[in-house]
Amino acid sequence: MAEQRSDGQAGGERDGGAGAGEPRRRSARPEEARAWEDLVATARRTVADGLVVGTSGNVSVRVGDTVLVTPSGVPYDRLAPGDVTGVDLDGRQVLGTLVPTSELPMHLTVYRTTTATAVVHTHAVHATAVSTLVDELPLIHYMAAALGGPVRVAPYATYGTDELAEHMLRALAGRSGCLLRNHGTVTHGTTLAQAYDRTAQLEWMCRLWLTASSVPGLTPSLLSRGQLAEVEERLRGYGQRG
């Protein structure tokens, strides 16, 4: 059963029907409704691709000053167009009645400090495993350049806390993705597709390093910072133009 707000900050009817002291909700605008469809599709993809199990992980997208987020504890295959859930940049709920993800502090911290418009957080197995072993993902592949450089591991903190959001922010400095110790991954981008692709790339690199480093008697060769810098330069001209 979908979680619903039960306190003054969470309750209230939509479109001006809120009671005294309760926030006034509004209907989703057309662009928000479209973004919600994309968000739900992305959230479902994280499950289909094995990056999350059950309702773990969460996805958000920014539309103007509104942040649409997956709700807490609701299986993604049950989300419908009418379940749109959104908050403002201060975390006040402005759309829907379902409780926003418990990781809202992380998502809002990204939007307040970067130009990102989409965030994907997962509990991907290989990435989470790597987060327990190192402070930075070894430079096993040049695609680290697509995330801004060597991927850091944020220190552990309890999920849903401001402390975790602060650790994440430091690990993301100059990067578009990081690992969260004993927890998972966070990536951001200018679109949901880009944020998701970065998550998939990060999980793949973690799997690659774990696979290579597990061969008895052998140590994986790693790239140098100079080699990575060369790739970063080449990536600036990568893809189609116009």
Side-chain angles (χ1 to χ4, degrees):
M1 181 176 178
E3 294 184 48
Q4 293 189 346
R5 297 280 195 175
S6 59
D7 57 7
Q9 288 298 314
E13 301 172 5
R14 299 174 62 185
D15 300 326
E22 296 181 340
R24 191 177 292 269
R25 307 289 167 77
R26 60 176 175 79
S27 299
R29 302 181 178 104
E31 62 272 24
E32 293 169 338
R34 291 191 294 270
W36 177 254
E37 291 181 5
D38 291 341
L39 180 149
V40 171
T42 300
R44 289 174 178 170
R45 187 179 177 188
T46 65
V47 176
D49 290 351
L51 298 176
V52 304
V53 176
T55 60
S56 65
N58 27 78
V59 179
S60 70
V61 61
R62 179 175 177 174
V63 182
D65 289 332
T66 300
V67 176
L68 307 181
V69 295
T70 47
S72 176
V74 181
Y76 299 143
D77 60 359
R78 296 183 189 175
L79 292 176
D83 293 326
V84 59
T85 304
V87 301
D88 63 20
L89 292 173
D90 291 322
R92 291 185 292 264
Q93 190 160 358
V94 295
L95 289 171
T97 59
L98 297 179
V99 178
T101 172
S102 58
E103 296 292 10
L104 190 58
M106 283 204 307
H107 290 261
L108 293 180
T109 294
V110 171
Y111 295 125
R112 290 167 183 158
T113 57
T114 74
T115 58
T117 54
V119 175
V120 175
H121 165 52
T122 78
H123 293 178
V125 172
H126 299 92
T128 304
V130 169
S131 79
T132 70
L133 298 171
V134 295
D135 293 327
E136 182 178 277
L137 175 64
L139 286 176
I140 191 70
H141 197 274
Y142 65 78
M143 280 308 292
L147 295 175
V151 178
R152 307 182 188 102
V153 179
Y156 179 80
T158 304
Y159 80 93
T161 61
D162 290 336
E163 181 183 11
L164 177 59
E166 291 168 3
H167 290 336
M168 174 209 67
L169 182 60
R170 286 192 289 272
L172 279 176
R175 306 286 186 268
S176 56
C178 74
L179 300 178
L180 307 174
R181 176 150 288 142
N182 298 90
H183 189 153
T185 69
V186 174
T187 61
H188 62 73
T190 58
T191 65
L192 280 166
Q194 185 181 63
Y196 182 86
D197 287 346
R198 287 171 171 168
T199 295
Q201 286 285 355
L202 179 52
E203 169 67 356
W204 179 82
M205 284 191 292
C206 289
R207 183 178 183 183
L208 175 63
W209 181 70
L210 287 172
T211 301
S213 61
S214 69
V215 178
L218 297 177
T219 301
S221 64
L222 301 175
L223 300 177
S224 68
R225 296 296 179 108
Q227 289 171 322
L228 192 68
E230 292 178 6
V231 175
E232 290 174 340
E233 182 63 31
R234 290 181 66 87
L235 284 177
R236 293 190 180 98
Y238 179 78
Q240 302 299 312
R241 296 176 176 80

